[in-house]
Amino acid sequence: MSILQLKPTILVETPLGTGQAIFIIDYGMHQNTCWVVALQKDGVIKHFDCNDVILSTNYTYGMNLRKNHFPVQEPPAVSE
């Protein structure tokens, strides 16, 4: 098992709402990674399976724009 502290934290969306991911726990190759998240609405710390966590939309870096129905520009095709 290994634990990674995220510095800086990562803003994520969970089934319980938006929060700051503060740790990731890796139990090994036969189990999904566990994300430890402090929920924004009340500060409660919860553990989430990696399948239940997605990055929050970041307009500056163009991440996860589809979630909020923003048009996504695909990178131009590279010709050889």
Side-chain angles (χ1 to χ4, degrees):
M1 176 179 82
S2 62
I3 299 174
L4 173 67
Q5 182 178 358
L6 299 172
K7 291 182 181 179
T9 60
I10 302 172
L11 190 62
V12 295
E13 303 293 330
T14 74
L16 298 178
T18 302
Q20 294 286 332
I22 53 178
F23 294 102
I24 298 175
I25 304 172
D26 183 3
Y27 290 106
M29 63 186 279
H30 299 293
Q31 193 168 354
N32 286 343
T33 304
C34 175
W35 286 65
V36 180
V37 177
L39 297 176
Q40 188 173 10
K41 64 183 173 188
D42 53 14
V44 171
I45 306 293
K46 292 288 186 181
H47 293 79
F48 294 94
D49 183 88
C50 62
N51 294 320
D52 293 330
V53 177
I54 61 171
L55 290 176
S56 292
T57 300
N58 184 312
Y59 305 103
T60 302
Y61 294 108
M63 298 182 74
N64 199 11
L65 297 178
R66 287 188 180 103
K67 177 180 174 277
N68 291 308
H69 309 291
F70 285 92
V72 177
Q73 290 183 324
E74 298 299 330
V78 177
S79 60
E80 295 180 26

